[in-house]
Amino acid sequence: MEDIYISTFEAAQERSLKLESNLLTHPEKFRVLTGDRPTGKLHIGHLFGSLQNRVRLQNLGVQSFIVIADYQVLTDREAFESISENIKELTIDYLSVGIEPKKNKTIIFPHSHIPELNQLLLPFLTLVTNAELDRNPTVKEEILASGLKKIKAGMYIYPVHQAADILFCKGNVIPVGKDQLPHLELSRTIARRFNEKFAKNKSVFPEPQALLSKSPVILGLDGSQKMSKSRNNAVFLSSTEDETVALIKKSKTDSERVITYDPTNRPEVSNLLLLISLAQEKSPELIAEEIGDGGSGKLKSILSETLNEYLKPIRKKRKELESNPDYIKEVLHSGISEAREIATNTLKEVRQVMNMEI
Ligand code: TRP
């Protein structure tokens, strides 16, 4: 049996670079699909890590789909009480950073509302083995991180459902971080096996490609782990200016007075410099030089000011959107209806090639 997770990071990186240059010359040939779990509000790690790239691709003229993966939330937590609220908050975050469904035809929708997408899961499950699902490195890590002893089938199966998220609209550009690569390899395998087994090698599903994000890993303000809502180390798009200042004031640094960019030996200070550099679009080394012997006090005050300035228009837009819940609903409803139309056509094609029409 082939090993679907063996394809190297270098190979994916090479494909990704080629894809990036094709996107610039022929944006109309591609369809971007990205997704998030609706687990809460987005923070600046999301902003610099993926949202900005989505806006960039959208504005290049690439048609973009954003899946709100509400079923995926159920794989590792009992969070269904707040899913509906989180879907709306996520949508507000998207719109506040410049995702524009009306103008750019970007489609935002929760996948639980697209029955024809979900139905693809059944034939797809016949194209992979239990052993392959068992071996998925990202799933293995999530199982370890969850600390659960009894793992539900949904945990093993969600990457196949993710293939349905991607393939229902024949998405061919999937901007992802490294942790999502195994899922993407699985989606590529499912597309290929579907075409071979059911479609006499006709290309019903194109093999989706990963567009690897260039952005560096953004640590939380504690400097030691990834920025994350649950670790209380994140500046949210929705945080107030005062909350932002307070969080930065508490952030960890070191006692060295001269500020230098040295991620290996000074991870906390370097992470704060990195955040300034992302917002100011200047190199972190240059910013460190400018601060010189100003110490962490100066570093923190520059970061607070820079971030609050940078987030000002986003937060203003966010406030406006928060006061217009009808508009948020409308965005989601039209996203759902467009996604359903596409999913219905794909399911029809799938039934045809699978000889299931009556
Ligand atoms: N698994 C992704 C995450 O945890 C979310 C996701 C769901 C996704 N469906 C997708 C990502 C399709 C890319 C494509 O972040």
Side-chain angles (χ1 to χ4, degrees):
M1 189 105 215
E2 66 177 315
D3 185 344
I4 58 184
Y5 307 115
I6 205 154
S7 153
T8 62
F9 184 60
E10 286 71 26
Q13 227 164 5
E14 208 167 294
R15 281 200 302 261
S16 171
L17 283 174
K18 214 177 272 165
L19 181 59
E20 176 71 46
S21 81
N22 288 340
L23 273 167
L24 297 177
T25 46
H26 288 293
E28 74 288 347
K29 283 197 186 153
F30 295 94
R31 185 172 270 181
V32 168
L33 186 129
T34 57
D36 296 294
R37 298 179 181 192
T39 54
K41 295 177 178 178
L42 300 182
H43 51 64
I44 55 171
H46 299 113
L47 177 66
F48 295 126
S50 71
L51 295 173
Q52 283 184 334
N53 195 35
R54 291 185 196 178
V55 174
R56 179 183 71 95
L57 292 167
Q58 166 194 272
N59 294 345
L60 276 179
V62 191
Q63 202 193 5
S64 305
F65 285 66
I66 305 181
V67 180
I68 300 182
D70 49 355
Y71 275 139
Q72 257 188 40
V73 176
L74 307 178
T75 57
D76 69 348
R77 63 190 90 194
E78 304 284 337
F80 50 89
E81 296 89 351
S82 44
I83 288 185
S84 159
E85 186 57 30
N86 286 344
I87 290 173
K88 288 173 194 141
E89 290 293 343
L90 198 53
T91 307
I92 292 177
D93 279 332
Y94 293 149
L95 301 177
S96 71
V97 300
I99 297 291
E100 288 186 87
K102 286 273 140 61
K103 185 164 144 231
N104 294 295
K105 300 207 181 67
T106 300
I107 297 173
I108 305 173
F109 61 93
H111 62 186
S112 71
H113 283 255
I114 321 295
E116 298 80 5
L117 176 163
N118 293 314
Q119 208 170 321
L120 295 176
L121 180 61
L122 291 164
F124 287 1
L125 280 170
T126 69
L127 298 170
V128 290
T129 65
N130 258 348
E132 284 170 333
L133 298 182
D134 240 357
R135 276 207 312 272
N136 183 313
T138 298
V139 169
K140 279 195 202 164
E141 259 169 47
E142 282 166 349
I143 289 174
L144 268 182
S146 76
L148 295 171
K149 294 230 164 55
K150 287 188 187 165
I151 308 303
K152 312 286 188 342
M155 180 62 120
Y156 295 101
I157 283 170
Y158 90 77
V160 184
H161 191 238
Q162 187 155 325
D165 288 341
I166 294 171
L167 298 178
F168 95 92
C169 66
K170 310 193 179 186
N172 50 10
V173 178
I174 321 298
V176 285
K178 208 172 169 182
D179 67 312
Q180 295 292 307
L181 279 178
H183 298 348
L184 204 72
E185 288 303 329
L186 183 74
S187 294
R188 291 163 63 82
T189 304
I190 288 174
R192 197 167 54 243
R193 288 183 188 164
F194 185 96
N195 296 339
E196 282 164 12
K197 181 170 176 185
F198 294 124
K200 301 190 180 75
N201 283 321
K202 184 178 151 226
S203 174
V204 172
F205 293 115
E207 283 183 39
Q209 299 199 56
L211 187 68
L212 285 161
S213 57
K214 291 185 285 271
S215 56
V217 179
I218 292 156
L219 303 176
L221 292 179
D222 48 6
S224 56
Q225 7 179 25
K226 228 174 117 169
M227 188 171 279
S228 148
K229 181 181 49 153
S230 54
R231 294 177 187 138
N232 202 17
N233 63 6
V235 174
F236 292 92
L237 304 183
S238 58
S239 301
T240 64
E241 296 200 347
D242 289 346
E243 283 164 358
T244 306
V245 172
L247 197 69
I248 291 172
K249 207 169 251 165
K250 275 201 328 225
S251 67
K252 211 171 147 206
T253 49
D254 54 39
S255 54
E256 189 91 37
R257 206 149 170 91
V258 177
I259 298 301
T260 51
Y261 185 66
D262 180 357
T264 315
N265 298 311
R266 303 182 74 185
E268 297 93 355
V269 163
S270 301
N271 186 52
L272 302 188
L273 284 166
L274 177 66
L275 289 172
I276 301 175
S277 110
L278 288 166
Q280 291 190 356
E281 294 182 31
K282 274 204 306 214
S283 81
E285 288 87 357
L286 191 65
I287 294 157
E289 217 170 283
E290 283 168 6
I291 299 174
D293 64 359
S296 16
K298 180 133 188 236
L299 172 63
K300 287 182 182 183
S301 73
I302 291 179
L303 177 58
S304 299
E305 230 169 83
T306 305
L307 270 187
N308 276 338
E309 197 54 38
Y310 190 84
L311 293 172
K312 195 174 248 165
I314 295 175
R315 287 169 171 165
K316 181 163 172 264
K317 182 102 184 270
R318 220 188 171 285
K319 274 265 169 315
E320 286 162 17
L321 292 161
E322 268 172 18
S323 63
N324 199 351
D326 286 348
Y327 176 64
I328 304 304
K329 266 197 195 159
E330 189 197 312
V331 165
L332 288 168
H333 282 145
S334 54
I336 289 167
S337 111
E338 288 183 58
R340 274 200 81 173
E341 197 180 319
I342 293 168
T344 304
N345 284 333
T346 303
L347 186 60
K348 205 181 274 172
E349 204 183 341
V350 162
R351 283 204 180 112
Q352 266 166 8
V353 298
M354 291 185 76
N355 199 22
M356 285 179 169
E357 283 183 306
I358 47 169

